[in-house]
Each structure stands twice: as C-alpha cells, then as structure tokens.
Amino acid sequence: MSLRSDKGVPTKMLPPWCVVLVLLLDLTLAQYEHLGYPPGYPDPEQEQYSAPQLRPETPRIQLRLSGDKRKHNEGRVEVYYNNEWGTVCDDDFNSHSAQVVCRELGYLEAVSWAPASKYGKGTGPIWFDNLHCTGKEKTLALCPSNGIGVSDCKHTEDVGVVCSDKRIPGFRFINTLPNHVENMDIQVEDVRIRAILSSYRKRIPVTEGYVEVKDGGKWKQICNAEWSPLNARVICGMFGFPGERKYNARVYKMFARRRKPSYWDYAVNCTGNEAHLSSCKLGQVSPLKSNVTCGGGLPVVVSCVPGRDFAPTPMAGFRKAFRQEQPLVRLRGGAIVGEGRVEILKNGEWGTICDDHWSLMSATVVCRELGLGTAKEALSGGRLGQGMGPVHMNEVECSGFEKSITECLFNKESAGCSHEEDAAVRCNVPAMGFQQSLRLNGGRNPFEGRVEVLMERNGSLVWGTVCSEGWSTMEAMVVCRTLGLGFASNAFQETWYWPGDVSADSVVMSGVRCSGTEMSLNHCLHHGTHLSCSKGGGRNAAGVSCSETAPDLVLNPQAVEQTTYMEDRPMFMMQCAQEEGCLSSSSSLTPATSYRRLLRFSSQIHNNGQSDFRPKAGRNSWVWHDCHRHYHSMEVFTLYDLFTLNGTKVAEGHKASFCLEDSECDEGIEKRYECANFGEQGITVGCWDTYRHDIDCQWIDITDIKPGDYIFQIVINPNYEVPESDYSNNIMKCRCRYDGHRVWMYGCHNGEGKVKFWKKVKNLKKTRIFGKSQIWTKKSIYDYKVR
C-alpha cells in the first residue's frame, strides 16, 4: 500500500526530501487551524456527500430507527424491503454492523448497539439474520447474511443501535423508494432558526425567523405550502422552547420579495410529538415554479415562546438565575440546566418516577412543563442519582400533548420499583451563548484551568481573570455548568501552576458571589466596573476543576424519628464532648456533678450520588483528637439546631468533624472506607454512614429550653466544602414537641419534602454559628438557601 499526499500523488514516487517537506508543511499549517478565518473571508467549501454507487443487482433497501426511543438518534433497526417494513435479528450482530447502519442513515459513526429488543418488539418479517459486516459496506444489503428474509429468530431478538449526534458533512437523503416517500425519515445535516428581522437579530435567544435546513453543505429554506403548527411545535421544541405562537406574516412577505429564497426539495410532515425534525416524515417533493418560488410563495417562519427562565425582560434581557419553580415537577441531580432526575409532588411529598416504559415522549412532556424544549434523552436506571421518598409513578405513558406529566396514564402500583430505577431527562434548552464569554485556560485537560471571562472595559471587550477573594465551590459550580463540564470538583484561589493567557492576566471581575443556580458567572453578584482585589490577578486568580459526576448526601428522616429520645447525663461523663464544643455555653459554669439534658438521635447519611464523598482535606492535614481517639477530616460536617416556630434558634449542636466511613451498603456494593488504623475516610456510592444515638456529640443540649413546640433541623456539609450534585436535600427538618419530661419528633423530611408544614415558618433571622455568619434568605414559601 502506498502513502498519498493531499494532492493524491503517491509519496513512494517522490524523493525522500520531498516527503519530509510535505510533512513539515502539513504540521506548519496545522498549528494555525484553530485560528479560523478572518471576518468576511468565505468559509471553505465542505466536501460534498455523494450517494454510494451500487451495482444493479444490489437489493434496494431503506433503513430507519424506530421503537421505544430515548434519543432521536437511536432505536430499533428497521428495514424496508419488498414493500414491507421488517427488522434485523441480533444473532452475530456486532459494532461493525452497527457502523454500517448508522452511516447509511447519515450519522458519522455508531456509538453502541443493543440486543434482545431493547427498543421493543417490531412487526413484519425479520429481513436480516447472522449479519457479518466488516464496517466498510455501503449498505446493509451488502453484508454477508443468511439471505434476505431467511431467519429463525423471533421479534424478541430485534436489534437496536445508538448513533452519534453528528451527521456526515454534506449528507443528503436519497430516496430509493419513490412510491413511499411519506414513510421515510428526514436525513439532514443540520437545522437552524435564522433571525431575519433586525429586532430579532439582537435578541438572545433567537426565537423567530426562517427555518433552514442544511442540505449538501448549503442552507435552504422550507416551502410553507404544506407547513402546519405541529411542524412549528417540533422546531421550537428542538431549540429549547416549550411552544410556538403567531407572527406578523406581512413583514416576511416583503422580505421574501426582496431576496429570492433557496428552497429545500421536500415538505415536512410532523405529528407534533417528535423530539427532533429528523424523526418527522417527509412530505411530497415540493413543486417549484419556474421562478424558483414554492406554491405558497414564502419560506417557513416560526416564532417560539421561550420558557419563563429564558424570556427576555426589559431590564436585563433574561432572568438572572435558573430556578425551578413549577409546583408539581422538578429536576434534581443534573450537572447543567435542563437535566436531572424527575421528581413530582404528590400529597405534599416529593417522590420519583420509575423508569419502566420511560420514553422520549414522556420525557418531553416533563421538559415542556418546565418551560424547556423537547427531551433529547430519556435516562433510566438512576443515571442522574437516586432520589428519596416514595416512587409516585410507574409505567408512565403520555400522548405528548399533556400539560403536565401528572396528566399521563400510569400504573398506580409501583411494586418492585426501587430508586435504582429512577427516571431522568436531558432537555433541549435555548442557546444563550454564555459559554462564549467564559473559558478555562492553562489546565492539563479541558476540565480544569484558570477562569477567564470576557468583559467590557473602556468601550471594548477584553479577556481577563476573576479575583479569587471569596472564591468558593458555589462560584466554581456555575463556571462548570456554563461550560457544560459537569460539576465542580475543586475551587482554587491560587492558579500559579496554570499560567493561562498572558494577555488576560488583569482582573476584570471581583467580588463574585453565586447562589449556585445562575446560568452564567455574569448573573452572580459582583462589583461591576468598580473592581477591588488586593491579591491581584495573574497566578492569584480564581480557578476550577470540573467533574462529570459528584456525590449526593441525603439523610434518612425515618432513622431520626425512630431513634429520638431524651437523656439526663452527668457532666463528668462528657469531658471529651465539652472539649469539642458539643454542649451549650452555659455548661461551662456548671459543676462536674450536675446533669445536662440531651436530645439524642441517630443519623443515617446516604450517598445517592454518582461518585464517592471524600473530605476536602488530605490525610496529611487531618487532626488527631486524643480524647475521642480518631482523626478529624472536616472542620464542620453537620449542624444540629432547634428553632422556635417563628425561626428563632434556641439550641444548637454539631459534629466538629466526622469519622467518615461506610457503615452499611446496598446489596452488591463493597465497603471501601474505614476509619480504624488511620484508614481512608469517605462514603461510597450506594453506602451510608450511621452515627448512633449513643455516641458523643450525637445530640442537642436542651437543658436551658422551655417546654413547647419546636423545629429541629440537621444540615450536612453546611459550608459546601465538598461539591455535591444537589445541596437542596442536605437539610432535614422535623417537628419537635417537648413537654419537660418527654420529647417527640415527627413529620421529618428532607429539603422541601412536605411543603404544607413549612408554610408556618415566616420570620427567618440572621444568626451566628461557630464564628461563621449564616443568613437565611427566603426564596419562596418553603424554599430557602443557606449562605
């Protein structure tokens, strides 16, 4: 085999010095490829896709992906042959066969394949069995097999594939079955909404304009002769918008007269339930007139309604923070806006959905309900973390037009469903362009580096650094989310080992404070144009490292309710606890023979996330506590507080530093962390750490409080030292009644678990806990954040 240069000349025929020169030239040009072309310079022409040339005797087939899809580019492989749709058997099917299928459908490559009718059982004949593809065949019909229609399989063996999101550049759908055009799936490179009117060109996100399809490397409009509102519904959903609306057609008529459109060859026929245009069917070939206009005379225009969190506002152009305020549905555990575990509110308690029959259509109902677009993926198996509480819905089946997932049909019995089967979604969200003004620089990989932002200074946009004073996990979370890099694993206040771009050393943003829900760093509180940063930028600037997964600690409320009791304990038995500050301040004035009244309970802390929970400090900085004979790996891990019904704190406790270890684990999961003998500390995914009621500091000192009704609260990881995928479930609350002789704990729940009870809590006050200010800022009737 002879090597060839880009010009197609065999390098074997060239002198050695020419070969070296050609290779050096390629390397020299490659280093400038990332710079792109200057503004106004025409883009290079893309390589045009050409249909494979098949011999006349090659059987003519057509492929499509069907069945219970969870992404638009996956599904059961179906073959159209001899005027009938059929399937492919999974016997001997492999990644090479999947590659042939995906490329024939216009995708760059195959990601994976699935046997045993994962996408449901098909109907009709099984056209292919025992396929032996090499991966280079131009059509599945050229792969060796038993012969078309020769099979001993059942539809329980129907094979499915998952293809890449990216299309083959220049790919164009070639219809080999002219009498069945209406049954074919659309195969195009790309789709966009192009803003035409000047008033919409300046808006972010783009909500109105021409629908354009990239076909053969060129953008083309669609004729509106057969266009329907259902088609517009699909287009808007693709781009992250829950619905469509009417527009001023007169203005677009005037524009179309001035500039001649270039029309696509086909009409589109959608049912309105598709998650992507590629899942719609092709209509008849558009009849073009001699003057290259379509029958209706106009290109298709759509006008979409953005969800509440992306709607332009007169003041800032968009909302400052992303908050899920829907009363019945929310997403939890997702790394970016628009993804997460689906949780619904029923009978005042948040619960999850079982993934049995979970489909792209049902996931899309959730996404639209939340003010987002269609679902691009329906996830199962607790992929985005496991929830707590009941499983409210099972075997959900939606028509696609419901306003809420709670309106869909479902099996009221969730027998056999555990939180290992929690359903989740990834929704299409509008392109806001936030990542264009934010970047990481100097890191060893794309997931870490110095944070650099694009800000306006003296009338021009310049890249610069962020002041690291006060830089914490919450700010790092916003950076990682904006860049689509997942969760923050570390927030750095010094980046001397990441030089970054020398021209961006100056500080352009300071005083950054984020709540963690913002979609962009610019939405966080900061100093604006009046910068204040004593440390300066450069290598003292803020930095982050991101991770695709994160832990998620959740308390078991039932364990607290079932183990609460009261004990009168003599002071001389609590010397170690007093050294750790686990008693109220009045205990220092009492003699050793006196007693303290303690509210005792057990706490069971589960890790329901996707990675292990590890203390932030390394082993070298752990502190040995000689009295309790264990190492402190975190300064403050848990806070225990007792409040009056109006929010005034009357008693407090805490775990100064837990000995983190795996007490027990779910079936099939091995323990990894044990404190004994200076062992590693942490909590493994699927395990929990139990702190029994009879150990020191597992209490609140209630000696000085009066009988009455109170609110008991536990906060895990209160200072956000360790990044988690969901901080909202780090708080557990209970109703507590103390009559002077006995104590009861009831109504315990995590976060906003039971909202009716917390409507009574109205006056939240500023307090001081262990030298650190804790401010409760009310966001809604039962929602708050701790900073």
Side-chain angles (χ1 to χ4, degrees), residues 440 443-451 471 473 476-477 479-480 485-492 495 497-498 542-549 723:
L440 300 184
R444 296 161 295 180
N445 57 62
F447 287 81
E448 66 179 20
R450 187 178 76 177
V451 179
W471 186 257
T473 299
M477 281 285 191
V479 170
C480 294
L485 299 178
F487 306 97
S489 56
N490 279 294
F492 300 97
T495 51
Y497 33 77
W498 291 332
V544 300
S545 63
C546 306
S547 173
E548 293 180 339
T549 59

Short mmCIF file of all heavy atoms in Angstrom, two decimals, residues 440 443-451 471 473 476-477 479-480 485-492 495 497-498 542-549 723:
data_model
loop_
_atom_site.label_atom_id
_atom_site.label_comp_id
_atom_site.label_asym_id
_atom_site.label_seq_id
_atom_site.Cartn_x
_atom_site.Cartn_y
_atom_site.Cartn_z
N LEU A 440 -11.70 28.29 30.30
CA LEU A 440 -10.66 27.81 31.23
C LEU A 440 -9.35 27.78 30.46
O LEU A 440 -9.30 27.31 29.32
CB LEU A 440 -11.00 26.42 31.76
CG LEU A 440 -12.31 26.27 32.53
CD1 LEU A 440 -12.44 24.85 33.07
CD2 LEU A 440 -12.42 27.28 33.65
N GLY A 443 -4.97 24.68 32.01
CA GLY A 443 -5.10 23.39 32.68
C GLY A 443 -4.48 22.25 31.89
O GLY A 443 -4.15 22.39 30.70
N ARG A 444 -4.35 21.12 32.56
CA ARG A 444 -3.78 19.94 31.91
C ARG A 444 -4.77 19.26 30.98
O ARG A 444 -4.39 18.47 30.12
CB ARG A 444 -3.30 18.95 32.96
CG ARG A 444 -2.17 19.46 33.85
CD ARG A 444 -2.07 18.64 35.12
NE ARG A 444 -3.26 18.78 35.95
CZ ARG A 444 -3.43 18.16 37.11
NH1 ARG A 444 -2.49 17.36 37.57
NH2 ARG A 444 -4.54 18.34 37.81
N ASN A 445 -6.07 19.54 31.18
CA ASN A 445 -7.12 18.96 30.35
C ASN A 445 -8.27 19.96 30.27
O ASN A 445 -8.27 20.98 30.99
CB ASN A 445 -7.58 17.61 30.93
CG ASN A 445 -8.06 17.74 32.36
OD1 ASN A 445 -9.04 18.44 32.65
ND2 ASN A 445 -7.37 17.07 33.29
N PRO A 446 -9.26 19.73 29.40
CA PRO A 446 -10.36 20.70 29.24
C PRO A 446 -11.22 20.89 30.48
O PRO A 446 -12.01 21.83 30.53
CB PRO A 446 -11.19 20.10 28.09
CG PRO A 446 -10.27 19.17 27.39
CD PRO A 446 -9.35 18.63 28.43
N PHE A 447 -11.07 20.04 31.50
CA PHE A 447 -11.93 20.10 32.68
C PHE A 447 -11.32 20.96 33.81
O PHE A 447 -11.90 21.02 34.89
CB PHE A 447 -12.21 18.70 33.21
CG PHE A 447 -13.17 17.92 32.37
CD1 PHE A 447 -12.74 17.26 31.22
CD2 PHE A 447 -14.51 17.85 32.69
CE1 PHE A 447 -13.62 16.53 30.43
CE2 PHE A 447 -15.41 17.14 31.92
CZ PHE A 447 -14.96 16.48 30.78
N GLU A 448 -10.20 21.60 33.60
CA GLU A 448 -9.59 22.39 34.65
C GLU A 448 -8.87 23.59 34.05
O GLU A 448 -8.58 23.64 32.86
CB GLU A 448 -8.61 21.55 35.47
CG GLU A 448 -7.39 21.11 34.67
CD GLU A 448 -6.41 20.29 35.48
OE1 GLU A 448 -6.80 19.74 36.52
OE2 GLU A 448 -5.24 20.19 35.07
N GLY A 449 -8.59 24.58 34.92
CA GLY A 449 -7.82 25.73 34.46
C GLY A 449 -8.18 27.00 35.18
O GLY A 449 -9.07 27.03 36.05
N ARG A 450 -7.47 28.07 34.82
CA ARG A 450 -7.76 29.38 35.35
C ARG A 450 -9.02 29.92 34.67
O ARG A 450 -9.19 29.78 33.46
CB ARG A 450 -6.58 30.32 35.10
CG ARG A 450 -6.72 31.67 35.75
CD ARG A 450 -5.49 32.53 35.51
NE ARG A 450 -5.45 33.07 34.16
CZ ARG A 450 -4.50 33.89 33.71
NH1 ARG A 450 -3.50 34.21 34.50
NH2 ARG A 450 -4.53 34.34 32.49
N VAL A 451 -9.90 30.54 35.46
CA VAL A 451 -11.14 31.08 34.91
C VAL A 451 -10.86 32.42 34.26
O VAL A 451 -10.34 33.34 34.90
CB VAL A 451 -12.21 31.24 36.01
CG1 VAL A 451 -13.49 31.83 35.43
CG2 VAL A 451 -12.50 29.91 36.68
N TRP A 471 -13.64 33.22 46.56
CA TRP A 471 -13.99 32.24 45.54
C TRP A 471 -14.23 30.88 46.20
O TRP A 471 -13.40 30.39 46.95
CB TRP A 471 -12.87 32.14 44.52
CG TRP A 471 -13.15 31.28 43.34
CD1 TRP A 471 -12.69 30.01 43.12
CD2 TRP A 471 -13.94 31.60 42.19
NE1 TRP A 471 -13.13 29.53 41.91
CE2 TRP A 471 -13.91 30.49 41.31
CE3 TRP A 471 -14.67 32.73 41.81
CZ2 TRP A 471 -14.59 30.47 40.09
CZ3 TRP A 471 -15.35 32.71 40.61
CH2 TRP A 471 -15.30 31.61 39.76
N THR A 473 -16.88 26.94 46.25
CA THR A 473 -17.47 25.86 45.46
C THR A 473 -18.67 26.35 44.66
O THR A 473 -18.87 25.93 43.51
CB THR A 473 -17.90 24.72 46.39
OG1 THR A 473 -16.76 24.20 47.07
CG2 THR A 473 -18.56 23.60 45.61
N ALA A 476 -17.57 28.07 41.55
CA ALA A 476 -16.98 27.07 40.65
C ALA A 476 -18.07 26.23 39.99
O ALA A 476 -17.94 25.86 38.81
CB ALA A 476 -16.01 26.18 41.43
N MET A 477 -19.14 25.93 40.72
CA MET A 477 -20.26 25.16 40.16
C MET A 477 -20.87 25.88 38.95
O MET A 477 -21.19 25.26 37.93
CB MET A 477 -21.33 24.94 41.22
CG MET A 477 -21.04 23.83 42.20
SD MET A 477 -21.27 22.20 41.45
CE MET A 477 -21.19 21.15 42.89
N VAL A 479 -19.42 28.05 36.95
CA VAL A 479 -18.47 28.01 35.84
C VAL A 479 -18.56 26.67 35.11
O VAL A 479 -18.68 26.62 33.88
CB VAL A 479 -17.03 28.26 36.33
CG1 VAL A 479 -16.02 27.97 35.22
CG2 VAL A 479 -16.88 29.68 36.82
N CYS A 480 -18.51 25.57 35.85
CA CYS A 480 -18.54 24.24 35.23
C CYS A 480 -19.87 24.01 34.51
O CYS A 480 -19.89 23.44 33.42
CB CYS A 480 -18.32 23.16 36.29
SG CYS A 480 -16.65 23.19 37.02
N LEU A 485 -19.35 21.30 31.56
CA LEU A 485 -18.33 20.37 32.02
C LEU A 485 -18.74 19.60 33.27
O LEU A 485 -17.91 18.95 33.90
CB LEU A 485 -17.02 21.12 32.30
CG LEU A 485 -16.40 21.83 31.09
CD1 LEU A 485 -15.14 22.59 31.50
CD2 LEU A 485 -16.09 20.84 29.98
N GLY A 486 -20.01 19.69 33.65
CA GLY A 486 -20.49 18.93 34.80
C GLY A 486 -20.44 19.72 36.09
O GLY A 486 -20.80 20.90 36.13
N PHE A 487 -19.99 19.06 37.16
CA PHE A 487 -19.95 19.65 38.49
C PHE A 487 -18.55 20.13 38.83
O PHE A 487 -17.57 19.66 38.26
CB PHE A 487 -20.39 18.62 39.53
CG PHE A 487 -21.71 17.98 39.26
CD1 PHE A 487 -21.78 16.74 38.64
CD2 PHE A 487 -22.89 18.60 39.61
CE1 PHE A 487 -22.98 16.13 38.38
CE2 PHE A 487 -24.12 18.01 39.35
CZ PHE A 487 -24.16 16.77 38.73
N ALA A 488 -18.46 21.05 39.77
CA ALA A 488 -17.14 21.48 40.25
C ALA A 488 -16.59 20.41 41.20
O ALA A 488 -17.31 19.93 42.07
CB ALA A 488 -17.25 22.81 40.97
N SER A 489 -15.34 20.04 41.01
CA SER A 489 -14.70 19.14 41.96
C SER A 489 -13.77 19.91 42.89
O SER A 489 -13.50 19.47 44.00
CB SER A 489 -13.91 18.05 41.23
OG SER A 489 -12.96 18.61 40.36
N ASN A 490 -13.29 21.10 42.45
CA ASN A 490 -12.46 21.95 43.29
C ASN A 490 -12.60 23.40 42.87
O ASN A 490 -12.80 23.71 41.68
CB ASN A 490 -10.98 21.55 43.19
CG ASN A 490 -10.64 20.36 44.07
OD1 ASN A 490 -10.69 20.44 45.30
ND2 ASN A 490 -10.33 19.24 43.45
N ALA A 491 -12.48 24.29 43.84
CA ALA A 491 -12.43 25.74 43.59
C ALA A 491 -11.08 26.23 44.09
O ALA A 491 -10.77 26.08 45.28
CB ALA A 491 -13.58 26.46 44.30
N PHE A 492 -10.27 26.81 43.21
CA PHE A 492 -8.90 27.21 43.57
C PHE A 492 -8.80 28.73 43.71
O PHE A 492 -9.33 29.48 42.89
CB PHE A 492 -7.92 26.75 42.49
CG PHE A 492 -7.89 25.26 42.30
CD1 PHE A 492 -8.62 24.66 41.30
CD2 PHE A 492 -7.15 24.46 43.15
CE1 PHE A 492 -8.61 23.29 41.11
CE2 PHE A 492 -7.12 23.08 42.98
CZ PHE A 492 -7.86 22.49 41.96
N THR A 495 -3.71 30.01 41.21
CA THR A 495 -3.53 29.24 39.98
C THR A 495 -2.13 29.46 39.42
O THR A 495 -1.94 29.62 38.22
CB THR A 495 -4.59 29.65 38.94
OG1 THR A 495 -4.60 31.07 38.81
CG2 THR A 495 -5.97 29.19 39.35
N TYR A 497 0.17 27.44 39.06
CA TYR A 497 0.61 26.33 38.22
C TYR A 497 -0.14 26.32 36.89
O TYR A 497 0.10 25.46 36.05
CB TYR A 497 0.40 25.00 38.94
CG TYR A 497 -0.81 24.99 39.85
CD1 TYR A 497 -2.09 24.86 39.34
CD2 TYR A 497 -0.66 25.16 41.22
CE1 TYR A 497 -3.19 24.87 40.16
CE2 TYR A 497 -1.76 25.18 42.06
CZ TYR A 497 -3.02 25.04 41.52
OH TYR A 497 -4.12 25.07 42.33
N TRP A 498 -1.11 27.23 36.70
CA TRP A 498 -1.83 27.36 35.43
C TRP A 498 -1.59 28.76 34.88
O TRP A 498 -2.30 29.70 35.24
CB TRP A 498 -3.33 27.13 35.64
CG TRP A 498 -3.69 25.73 35.99
CD1 TRP A 498 -3.03 24.60 35.65
CD2 TRP A 498 -4.83 25.31 36.77
NE1 TRP A 498 -3.66 23.49 36.15
CE2 TRP A 498 -4.77 23.89 36.84
CE3 TRP A 498 -5.89 25.97 37.38
CZ2 TRP A 498 -5.74 23.14 37.51
CZ3 TRP A 498 -6.83 25.22 38.04
CH2 TRP A 498 -6.76 23.82 38.10
N ALA A 542 -8.77 33.19 40.20
CA ALA A 542 -9.62 32.04 40.53
C ALA A 542 -9.49 30.96 39.47
O ALA A 542 -9.29 31.23 38.29
CB ALA A 542 -11.07 32.50 40.63
N GLY A 543 -9.61 29.72 39.92
CA GLY A 543 -9.56 28.58 39.01
C GLY A 543 -10.52 27.49 39.45
O GLY A 543 -11.04 27.52 40.58
N VAL A 544 -10.78 26.56 38.57
CA VAL A 544 -11.69 25.46 38.89
C VAL A 544 -11.19 24.17 38.26
O VAL A 544 -10.40 24.18 37.31
CB VAL A 544 -13.13 25.72 38.36
CG1 VAL A 544 -13.72 26.97 38.95
CG2 VAL A 544 -13.16 25.77 36.84
N SER A 545 -11.66 23.07 38.80
CA SER A 545 -11.57 21.79 38.11
C SER A 545 -12.97 21.18 38.16
O SER A 545 -13.67 21.29 39.17
CB SER A 545 -10.55 20.85 38.77
OG SER A 545 -10.93 20.53 40.09
N CYS A 546 -13.38 20.59 37.05
CA CYS A 546 -14.75 20.09 36.91
C CYS A 546 -14.75 18.57 36.80
O CYS A 546 -13.74 17.96 36.45
CB CYS A 546 -15.42 20.70 35.69
SG CYS A 546 -15.39 22.52 35.62
N SER A 547 -15.89 17.99 37.08
CA SER A 547 -16.04 16.54 37.01
C SER A 547 -17.43 16.22 36.46
O SER A 547 -18.40 16.94 36.74
CB SER A 547 -15.86 15.92 38.39
OG SER A 547 -16.18 14.54 38.38
N GLU A 548 -17.52 15.14 35.70
CA GLU A 548 -18.81 14.75 35.14
C GLU A 548 -19.74 14.15 36.19
O GLU A 548 -20.94 14.05 35.97
CB GLU A 548 -18.60 13.74 34.01
CG GLU A 548 -17.90 14.34 32.79
CD GLU A 548 -17.69 13.33 31.69
OE1 GLU A 548 -17.72 12.11 31.99
OE2 GLU A 548 -17.51 13.75 30.54
N THR A 549 -19.20 13.74 37.33
CA THR A 549 -20.01 13.15 38.39
C THR A 549 -19.73 13.84 39.72
O THR A 549 -18.72 14.52 39.88
CB THR A 549 -19.73 11.64 38.54
OG1 THR A 549 -18.33 11.46 38.84
CG2 THR A 549 -20.06 10.90 37.26
N PRO A 723 -18.01 19.50 46.99
CA PRO A 723 -19.05 19.68 45.97
C PRO A 723 -19.99 18.48 45.92
O PRO A 723 -19.57 17.33 46.05
CB PRO A 723 -18.24 19.79 44.66
CG PRO A 723 -16.86 20.17 45.08
CD PRO A 723 -16.65 19.53 46.41
#
